Amino acid sequence: MSSTLSPAPLLIPLQPEWLDRVVAVEAAAYTHPWTPGNFRDALASGYQAQMLVQGDRLLGYYVAMQVLDEVHLLNIAVAPDAQGQGCARLLLETLDHWSRLQSAKWLWLEVRASNTRARAIYERHGYRQVGERKRYYPVHHGERETAIIMSMPLYGPEP
């Protein structure tokens, strides 16, 4: 009897040839997903974008932008069939490490007020709510939802 081991997950730069898979995960994860053009623009702008892959399977990704001594997490998603397996934690840890290498002092993000699962993940990771943007995210039929602004300091060495 032989068993086939799955390859270990790898973090690699987000690459244009993976955009179809990225967009598919994005559409499965969000009610108002980024478009292929949003991802192409992020790559063209030189934003930090990493994918977590296992063989030819996309587990998740993030896109972040550095502004002076701050890094803003613009987008992060984990494929629905890979959720609950630590992928988000690994992506966030990778972002932390990269941000420290860039001498960033703070990480920032915005999350829908209704996305309690993501908010809990961010809080466990060390982010704290520092504000709100009322009526920021589109919901449907002209309605809008509050964005929760979260931040995490990156002072000192990695934990």
Side-chain angles (χ1 to χ4, degrees):
M1 178 191 321
S2 70
S3 64
T4 309
L5 295 176
S6 297
L10 296 173
L11 281 155
I12 61 173
L14 197 149
Q15 301 165 8
E17 57 268 21
W18 283 74
L19 275 183
D20 288 345
R21 285 176 265 196
V22 169
V23 170
V25 167
E26 180 81 0
Y30 293 115
T31 58
H32 291 78
W34 276 21
T35 66
N38 294 133
F39 285 102
R40 281 192 291 275
D41 289 347
L43 291 175
S45 295
Y47 293 166
Q48 171 66 2
Q50 293 287 310
M51 304 183 303
L52 182 62
V53 300
Q54 188 172 37
D56 63 354
R57 180 176 165 224
L58 176 63
L59 301 175
Y61 56 85
Y62 74 81
V63 178
M65 168 184 73
Q66 184 173 9
V67 178
L68 303 173
D69 65 348
E70 300 176 352
V71 171
H72 296 251
L73 178 60
L74 302 175
N75 192 332
I76 185 170
V78 174
D81 65 345
Q83 291 179 4
Q85 301 173 29
C87 295
R89 179 183 42 77
L90 181 57
L91 289 165
L92 290 171
E93 287 172 355
T94 301
L95 177 61
D96 296 352
H97 180 72
W98 177 84
S99 299
R100 283 183 172 93
L101 290 174
Q102 308 311 306
S103 299
K105 303 285 189 256
W106 291 92
L107 280 167
W108 293 87
L109 62 84
E110 292 160 350
V111 60
R112 287 177 182 269
S114 64
N115 194 344
T116 56
R117 185 175 182 186
R119 290 172 60 188
I121 290 168
Y122 297 139
E123 286 171 4
R124 277 194 306 274
H125 194 75
Y127 286 86
R128 296 294 171 253
Q129 181 175 337
V130 296
E132 295 182 349
R133 294 187 199 279
K134 301 283 187 194
R135 300 182 41 77
Y136 185 76
Y137 287 113
V139 181
H140 54 80
H141 306 296
E143 294 178 26
R144 302 197 60 90
E145 178 179 4
T146 296
I148 303 300
I149 303 167
M150 302 183 84
S151 183
M152 184 176 79
L154 291 173
Y155 306 133
E158 288 191 55

